[in-house]
């Protein structure tokens, strides 16, 4: 039975999304796919990881750089292989291929180059202190990528098949690029999908390319003295209700760079994006934002923006922070997801009720925030544990232990590595 529609006849985008979601078994109420998710054509091939074709690179050609070397230049250093899969409206999904990392070929009229028909995900693979290779909750990333593809009219797929393809790439490249001799290290995994139909005209693409790469990424989670945020200018916002801030599409990020670069020239690391006349706190750069404060009646709260208006991204790190804090800090810290304003933060600062703040995301992990500059007012957060707050440090430690195998937890998904 189709889910009850909450959209009116005028809500074209919402209605279209409901129809697309209803066609995806993997987004049904039980959350389990049946391996036959199609892209509007029931008799066409679905994305199928069991059909993966392997073409191996000569792995002796490239050596693995140190983390410092790999992140010091202007080019992202990727591993030996990548995975690609082609989709066409009249043919469905082709067999995916694992092949040597290299350039993609696109026509100048490809949809992605003109109409921003692209989306992506970001997750990390970790070399644990127990020697094992792990992903952190990859099922959430795979399901969120499906939501993003549907939002911009790219083809659907079973998220479980995407997750299997990620495993396949890391099983091959993990042993070399994250060797057991480097415990505590990670690679960044980037699944992406782009519209490739070589035809100008604003329309849903009839051709698309899925590709997955793994690369080095700098560590952003421990800036000296904590991250400093500057609120966005009055004439600029990053996302809006009724938009696509909840989907991980490139159009969310490019337009924000102008203000971000200006903030960095002034000594700030990221923008704290405010929304509406009320100036609700939403995200810190592309990361979710958390504040710990005492309420006026003395209760300690961990507060972050809600997801119900689809203004911000449902971050995997955000979700994990909320769940861990409720499970492990519930007796001393109330976890609240609600709209709150920068004026509330300033009021708490003036009344001495602020405890700490942090940003949470895949790239920035758990990053302590030390300051917010809003117009001509500076909010300064206590850093009681060196360059971090007490709860920030505690939550970050729990997350680290799960990711790197110090704590055996269902969120840490072990990769079955292949030795070439």
């Amino acid at each position: 039975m189709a889910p009850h529609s909450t959209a009116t006849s005028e809500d074209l985008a919402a209605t279209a999304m409901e129809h697309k979601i209803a066609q995806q078994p993997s987004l049904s109420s039980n959350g389990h796919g049946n391996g036959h998710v199609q892209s509007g054509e029931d008799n066409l091939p679905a994305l199928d990881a069991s059909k993966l074709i392997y073409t191996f690179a000569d792995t002796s050609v490239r050596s693995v750089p140190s983390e410092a070397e790999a992140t010091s230049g202007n080019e992202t250093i990727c591993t030996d292989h990548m995975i690609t899969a082609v989709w066409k409206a009249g043919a469905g999904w082709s067999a995916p291929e694992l092949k040597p990392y290299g350039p993609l070929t696109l026509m100048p009229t490809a949809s992605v180059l003109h109409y921003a028909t692209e989306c992506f995900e970001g997750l990390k693979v970790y070399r644990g202190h127990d020697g094992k290779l792990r992903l952190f909750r990859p099922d959430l990333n795979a399901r969120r990528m499906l939501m993003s593809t549907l939002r911009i009219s790219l083809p659907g797929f079973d998220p479980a098949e995407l997750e299997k393809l990620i495993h396949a790439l890391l099983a091959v490249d993990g042993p070399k690029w994250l060797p057991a001799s480097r415990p505590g290290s990670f690679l960044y995994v980037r699944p992406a999908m782009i519209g490739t139909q070589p035809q100008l005209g604003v329309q849903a693409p009839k051709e698309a390319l899925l590709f997955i790469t793994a690369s080095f990424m700098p560590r952003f989670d421990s800036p000296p003295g904590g991250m400093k945020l500057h609120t966005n200018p009055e004439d600029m916002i990053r996302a809006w209700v009724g938009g696509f801030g909840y989907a991980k599409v490139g159009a969310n990020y490019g337009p924000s760079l102008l203000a971000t670069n200006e903030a960095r020239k002034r000594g700030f690391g990221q923008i704290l994006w405010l929304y509406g006349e009320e100036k609700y706190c939403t995200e810190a750069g592309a990361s979710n934002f958390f504040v710990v404060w005492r309420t006026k009646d003395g209760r300690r709260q961990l507060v972050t923006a809600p997801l119900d208006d689809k203004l911000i991204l449902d971050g995997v790190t955000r979700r994990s922070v909320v769940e861990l804090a409720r499970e492990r800090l519930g007796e001393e810290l109330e976890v609240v997801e609600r709209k709150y304003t920068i004026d509330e933060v300033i009021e708490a600062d003036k009344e001495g009720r602020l405890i700490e703040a942090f940003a949470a995301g895949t790239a920035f992990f758990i990053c302590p925030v030390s300051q917010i500059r809003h117009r001509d007012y500076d909010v300064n957060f206590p850093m009681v544990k060196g360059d971090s707050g007490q709860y920030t440090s505690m939550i970050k430690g729990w997350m680290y232990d799960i990711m790197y195998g110090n704590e055996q937890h269902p969120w840490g998904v072990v990769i079955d590595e292949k030795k070439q």
Side-chain angles (χ1 to χ4, degrees):
M1 179 180 294
H4 175 69
S5 175
T6 58
T8 68
S9 60
E10 290 78 20
D11 294 334
L12 299 180
T15 301
M17 277 296 290
E18 287 185 357
H19 290 164
K20 286 177 177 289
I21 290 171
Q23 295 169 5
Q24 309 299 320
S26 54
L27 290 183
S28 63
S29 59
N30 63 15
H32 298 292
N34 62 7
H36 301 287
V37 177
Q38 308 300 328
S39 324
E41 300 287 347
D42 289 343
N43 59 337
L44 296 180
L47 183 65
D48 188 347
S50 71
K51 296 180 180 178
L52 182 63
I53 299 169
Y54 288 82
T55 302
F56 293 109
D58 180 354
T59 57
S60 66
V61 173
R62 300 170 65 207
S63 60
V64 179
S66 68
E67 187 175 305
E69 292 170 334
T71 57
S72 61
N74 294 322
E75 178 183 354
T76 296
I77 304 300
C78 291
T79 61
D80 289 318
H81 299 92
M82 63 183 183
I83 287 179
T84 63
V86 173
W87 173 85
K88 294 185 178 181
W93 284 99
S94 68
E97 298 180 68
L98 183 145
K99 57 188 179 182
Y101 174 80
L104 303 175
T105 300
L106 289 175
M107 297 300 288
T109 51
S111 171
V112 63
L113 302 177
H114 301 271
Y115 308 113
T117 52
E118 70 88 29
C119 63
F120 60 92
E121 268 302 320
L123 62 160
K124 290 175 180 174
V125 57
Y126 306 89
R127 176 59 71 183
H129 295 284
D130 59 355
K132 295 180 181 179
L133 205 60
R134 283 180 177 80
L135 292 166
F136 182 77
R137 310 189 78 177
D139 58 317
L140 299 184
N141 291 98
R143 287 171 61 80
R144 188 174 66 184
M145 183 160 174
L146 174 59
M147 292 295 295
S148 297
T149 65
L150 299 181
R151 179 62 180 84
I152 53 173
S153 297
L154 288 172
F157 56 88
D158 187 337
E161 298 303 304
L162 175 61
E163 192 176 346
K164 291 173 187 175
L165 292 175
I166 294 170
H167 276 250
L169 175 61
L170 299 177
V172 171
D173 280 355
K176 172 183 173 180
W177 290 84
L178 277 183
S181 60
R182 294 188 182 184
S185 58
F186 66 86
L187 292 173
Y188 182 76
V189 184
R190 169 56 60 88
M193 193 187 297
I194 60 175
T196 54
Q197 181 182 354
Q199 183 178 26
L200 296 179
V202 183
Q203 60 183 315
K206 294 182 176 63
E207 299 178 11
L209 176 69
L210 167 70
F211 57 96
I212 308 170
T213 58
S215 64
F216 284 94
M217 172 179 275
R219 297 175 187 256
F220 299 114
D221 59 294
S222 301
M227 182 192 294
K228 297 181 179 180
L229 303 177
H230 196 297
T231 58
N232 58 283
E234 295 282 359
D235 61 350
M236 191 173 189
I237 59 174
R238 194 193 74 81
W240 53 94
V241 173
F244 41 85
Y246 65 97
K248 205 164 177 66
V249 298
N252 274 331
Y253 302 98
S256 71
L257 299 179
L258 185 66
T260 301
N261 288 341
E262 180 61 28
R264 287 175 177 168
K265 289 179 183 178
R266 301 182 186 184
F268 297 86
Q270 290 289 340
I271 297 284
L272 175 61
W273 294 102
L274 308 178
Y275 180 71
E277 294 182 2
E278 299 86 353
K279 295 183 173 56
Y280 292 119
C281 297
T282 64
E283 294 175 306
S287 299
N288 296 116
F289 180 62
F290 291 80
V291 174
V292 183
W293 59 22
R294 282 184 294 272
T295 62
K296 292 188 177 184
D297 60 3
R299 291 174 293 121
R300 292 192 172 206
Q301 283 187 343
L302 174 65
V303 184
T304 195
L307 301 175
D308 53 8
D309 55 6
K310 292 189 175 182
L311 176 64
I312 66 171
L313 196 68
D314 182 3
V316 176
T317 310
R318 174 198 181 279
R319 182 184 296 201
S320 303
V321 167
V322 167
E323 292 175 4
L324 280 177
R326 283 179 173 154
E327 175 189 336
R328 303 184 181 187
L329 292 170
E331 293 186 0
E332 62 177 289
L333 193 66
E334 180 185 12
V335 180
V336 178
E337 299 173 78
R338 71 164 176 88
K339 294 179 180 179
Y340 65 102
T341 67
I342 188 65
D343 288 338
E344 288 182 75
V345 176
I346 291 172
E347 181 185 35
D349 179 50
K350 291 179 177 179
E351 295 176 357
R353 295 187 286 107
L354 286 182
I355 297 175
E356 59 195 84
F358 61 91
T362 301
F364 280 80
F365 187 28
I366 307 293
C367 185
V369 170
S370 59
Q371 183 185 41
I372 298 173
R373 168 74 56 83
H374 178 62
R375 310 305 178 245
D376 58 352
Y377 188 87
D378 285 338
V379 177
N380 294 296
F381 293 92
M383 309 286 272
V384 298
K385 291 186 69 68
D387 285 338
S388 178
Q390 173 188 353
Y391 294 110
T392 305
S393 178
M394 194 179 303
I395 293 170
K396 184 175 182 178
W398 291 334
M399 298 273 283
Y400 182 97
D401 285 344
I402 294 171
M403 291 167 173
Y404 288 100
N406 295 332
E407 176 185 344
Q408 302 302 311
H409 194 283
W411 293 351
V413 179
V414 176
I415 301 293
D416 183 15
E417 300 176 67
K418 296 179 180 178
K419 308 295 183 181
Q420 283 185 258

